[in-house]
């Protein structure tokens, strides 16, 4: 089993250049199906989920080449429309290919996607929205058989501002006949990026990032488009948190500042010393941290759920009790039980996490999801002595050069393969 061996208790100091945004790159790669031509995606993060996305594109008949962080997709011969279960179950974003397949091939066969275990994570909102656009979708034994002979205009009122469902609609509606309006769409920065990419391709999407998105179907798209993915806002929060909690000082050189306002306000309210320039942020801790009180995660522009595990870690270094209420996913505190292996007292009750200040000790823990795994790594970096984090495949899905970045800041972390002993690891 792959694990990280971490020698913690060392202040992290230095500068980081952020990877491209995982949650922007994935829907954009799915949207490359649309132009039946060439898309060059720059600053694509070199992570497992992007690798999976390229495998899906190839399985659908596209040619894909990768040169460091540049991915070139040629979707001219994308004639296939079935995504096998072993690819669908590798990540949540596999569902994002549904909209593109219906747009270009008029049919698709998929099954439920995989992704972090944060709750049930159904796809009912995706399905009902695509049906409203004229798709016929039949679920038989967990597979979805989908047809869209001709799309139609629709006004879709999302029951919940689902990021993935919003993205699927935007992709599918790009080539539809007529106009699709999405009321109550997701407003995350990744939605804006997807619209920017599709519009650069020749699509017609207006209102991304607001409470109404209007997509006017176009007859054809440019056969060549290039696009550079923005920096990853959650990776930014991850390394900022590591810098503060190890008592160091970290500068993020290409920080997406306008996308992390909530977190910057929280860090500042805790008493962190923050210096901002045009697109960089430097952060360090000055003495004791104040509790952030209560944070409630909400759909963007509310406090991002993906940053909540790092706020939990911050709470361990604050005087008094801090509370996090998770409203986006019904089961996103699984990592908190693993944090107890580091002496962290984080108690979950009614989807609220109560965190008290504590002295962190080294320990062993198992990553259960991407951001939770990164939070466990943060606890190991804080604790004096050797700690081990297992199931680091979860972290590989979303963080590029994770160990290299931590080492470049003075952290001691090595990837290690540990044989599973009879009674379990270690
Ligand atoms: C995206 O997931 C992100 N993933 C998640 O980031 C992020 O946490 C989430 O948006 C919320 O911001 C990617 O972009 C690849 P949702 P997504 O659809 O699209 C429910 C990370 O760590 N729901 O907005 O799956 C769902 O169960 C990952 O990078 C339905 O009920 O999120 C959840 O409770 C983790 N029916 C809520 O909505 C549906 O059809 C939000 O889900 C769809 C969603």
């Amino acid at each position: 089993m792959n694990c990280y061996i971490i020698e913690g208790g060392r202040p992290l100091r230095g500068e980081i250049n952020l990877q491209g945004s995982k949650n922007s790159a994935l829907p954009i790669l799915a949207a490359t199906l649309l132009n039946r031509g060439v898309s060059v995606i720059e600053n694509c993060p070199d992570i497992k989920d992007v690798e999976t996305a390229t495998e899906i594109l190839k399985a659908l008949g596209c040619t894909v080449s990768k040169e460091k962080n540049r991915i070139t997709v040629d979707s001219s011969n994308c004639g296939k429309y079935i995504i096998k279960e072993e690819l669908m179950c590798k990540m949540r974003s596999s569902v994002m290919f549904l909209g593109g397949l219906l747009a270009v091939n008029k049919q698709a066969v998929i099954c439920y996607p995989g992704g972090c275990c944060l709750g049930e994570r159904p796809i009912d909102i995706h399905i009902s929205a695509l049906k409203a656009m004229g798709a016929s979708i039949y679920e038989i034994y967990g597979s979805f058989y989908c047809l869209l002979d001709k799309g139609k205009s629709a006004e879709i009122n999302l029951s919940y501002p689902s990021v993935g469902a919003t993205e699927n609609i935007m992709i599918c509606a790009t080539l539809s006949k007529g106009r699709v309006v999405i009321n109550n769409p997701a407003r995350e920065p990744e939605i804006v990026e997807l619209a920017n990419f599709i519009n650069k391709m020749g699509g017609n999407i207006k209102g991304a990032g607001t409470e109404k998105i209007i997509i006017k179907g176009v007859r054809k798209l440019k056969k060549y488009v290039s696009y550079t993915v923005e920096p990853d806002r959650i990776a930014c929060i991850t390394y900022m948190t590591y810098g503060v909690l190890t008592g160091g000082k970290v500068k993020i050189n290409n920080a997406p500042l306008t996308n992390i306002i909530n977190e910057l306000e929280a860090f500042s309210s805790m008493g962190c010393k923050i210096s901002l320039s045009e697109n960089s942020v430097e952060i360090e801790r000055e003495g004791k941290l104040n509790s952030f009180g209560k944070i409630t995660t909400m759909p963007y522009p509310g406090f991002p759920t993906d940053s909540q595990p790092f706020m939990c870690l911050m709470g361990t270094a604050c005087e008094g009790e801090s509370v996090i209420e998770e409203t986006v996913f019904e089961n996103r505190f699984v990592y908190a039980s693993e944090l107890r292996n580091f002496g962290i007292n984080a108690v979950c009750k009614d989807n609220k996490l109560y965190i008290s200040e504590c002295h962190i000790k080294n320990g062993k823990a198992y990553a259960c999801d991407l951001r939770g795994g990164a939070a466990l790594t943060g606890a190991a970096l804080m604790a004096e002595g050797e700690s081990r984090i297992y199931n680091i495949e979860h972290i590989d899905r979303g963080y590029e050069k994770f160990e290299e970045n931590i080492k470049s800041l003075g952290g001691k972390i090595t990837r290690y393969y540990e044989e599973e002993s009879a009674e379990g690891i270690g």
Side-chain angles (χ1 to χ4, degrees):
M1 185 186 268
N2 276 317
C3 72
Y4 282 138
I5 300 178
I6 293 165
E7 191 65 37
R10 307 158 66 93
L12 296 189
R13 287 197 178 86
E15 302 190 8
I16 290 274
N17 289 312
L18 287 178
Q19 70 185 61
S21 163
K22 165 180 89 79
N23 292 348
S24 294
L26 293 171
I28 285 171
L29 286 169
T32 61
L33 292 175
L34 288 172
N35 70 341
R36 286 198 179 286
V38 174
S39 302
V40 179
I41 314 298
E42 303 280 4
N43 199 32
C44 230
D46 187 6
I47 56 176
K48 278 284 175 227
D49 275 10
V50 165
E51 192 180 307
T52 301
T54 59
E55 284 169 27
I56 291 175
L57 287 166
K58 287 178 194 163
L60 293 172
C62 302
T63 51
V64 184
S65 61
K66 180 176 177 300
E67 206 185 304
K68 282 191 157 192
N69 295 103
R70 172 187 297 136
I71 291 194
T72 303
V73 180
D74 184 342
S75 58
S76 318
N77 301 314
C78 161
K80 297 184 180 154
Y81 57 86
I82 299 173
I83 304 178
K84 291 202 181 99
E85 186 174 353
E86 62 257 30
L87 285 174
M88 281 299 300
C89 68
K90 281 187 171 180
M91 64 176 185
R92 176 72 180 179
S93 290
S94 50
V95 72
M96 229 66 84
F97 288 84
L98 175 55
L101 284 174
L102 289 177
V104 294
N105 288 344
K106 308 297 176 201
Q107 55 186 334
V109 178
I110 65 165
C111 60
Y112 279 100
C116 293
C117 297
L118 307 172
E120 197 211 328
R121 301 188 85 177
I123 59 170
D124 55 325
I125 300 174
H126 297 246
I127 299 302
S128 53
L130 293 169
K131 282 182 175 172
M133 293 164 62
S136 309
I137 299 179
Y138 309 95
E139 182 183 354
I140 305 169
Y141 300 125
S143 289
F144 294 88
Y145 298 84
C146 316
L147 288 167
L148 179 66
D149 52 358
K150 52 182 187 307
K152 62 180 185 180
S153 293
E155 176 132 11
I156 299 167
N157 302 311
L158 289 187
S159 54
Y160 184 90
S162 157
V163 173
T166 302
E167 291 164 344
N168 242 332
I169 299 165
M170 288 162 70
I171 294 171
C172 185
T174 294
L175 291 175
S176 73
K177 291 183 179 51
R179 184 177 100 131
V180 171
V181 175
I182 314 173
N183 296 315
N184 190 32
R187 298 171 55 186
E188 276 71 1
E190 293 77 34
I191 300 294
V192 176
E193 273 223 82
L194 177 62
N196 291 342
F197 171 70
I198 292 177
N199 287 339
K200 200 171 177 192
M201 204 189 234
N204 184 339
I205 299 178
K206 290 190 171 49
T210 73
E211 66 283 354
K212 182 191 284 277
I213 296 179
I214 299 173
I215 307 119
K216 283 193 184 124
V218 295
R219 292 171 59 78
K220 65 192 188 80
L221 295 163
K222 293 173 188 160
K223 291 297 177 192
Y224 177 88
V225 64
S226 72
Y227 183 84
T228 301
V229 176
E230 301 271 326
D232 191 306
R233 59 190 171 102
I234 308 302
C236 184
I237 301 307
T238 306
Y239 296 115
M240 287 173 72
T241 303
Y242 293 173
V244 171
L245 291 178
T246 57
K249 183 175 180 177
V250 167
K251 184 179 181 187
I252 309 286
N253 286 320
N254 54 339
L257 296 174
T258 53
N259 297 342
I260 57 171
I261 305 285
N262 287 288
E263 295 93 332
L264 287 173
E265 283 170 358
F267 283 129
S268 166
S269 73
M270 287 182 250
C272 297
K273 186 176 170 216
I274 298 171
S275 331
L276 298 174
S277 75
E278 200 189 322
N279 63 356
S280 76
V281 56
E282 188 171 66
I283 190 167
E284 62 182 307
R285 172 175 166 176
E286 271 191 335
K288 274 267 179 216
L289 294 175
N290 322 308
S291 163
F292 51 75
K294 181 181 177 193
I295 281 177
T296 301
T297 66
M298 296 293 284
Y300 204 87
F303 197 96
T305 175
D306 292 348
S307 293
Q308 92 41 9
F310 308 104
M311 288 302 133
C312 170
L313 264 193
M314 292 294 290
T316 66
C318 295
E319 287 181 322
E321 182 177 69
S322 306
V323 182
I324 297 175
E325 182 177 18
E326 172 59 52
T327 71
V328 177
F329 289 102
E330 65 271 27
N331 190 23
R332 192 166 197 169
F333 289 133
V334 178
Y335 67 89
S337 51
E338 286 296 309
L339 283 175
R340 287 190 203 118
N341 299 313
F342 296 99
I344 289 175
N345 178 19
V347 179
C348 178
K349 193 164 174 290
D350 306 333
N351 236 21
K352 290 189 185 74
L353 195 62
Y354 299 84
I355 308 126
S356 329
E357 185 182 10
C358 64
H359 174 70
I360 291 200
K361 63 179 178 59
N362 60 327
K364 292 181 183 179
Y366 292 77
C368 314
D369 65 78
L370 166 59
R371 308 302 176 185
L376 293 173
T377 304
L381 290 166
M382 292 163 73
E384 294 277 345
E386 179 181 294
S387 296
R388 294 191 181 210
I389 307 293
Y390 297 100
N391 294 346
I392 58 176
E393 295 74 26
H394 288 288
I395 300 172
D396 293 340
R397 286 189 44 220
Y399 287 93
E400 175 185 330
K401 298 192 186 102
F402 191 58
E403 299 112 88
E404 294 87 323
N405 281 331
I406 290 171
K407 283 176 187 166
S408 74
L409 295 171
K412 271 190 90 176
I413 178 172
T414 42
R415 182 179 288 259
Y416 179 73
Y417 182 77
E418 187 172 309
E419 291 297 336
E420 286 193 54
S421 57
E423 61 280 354
I425 283 291

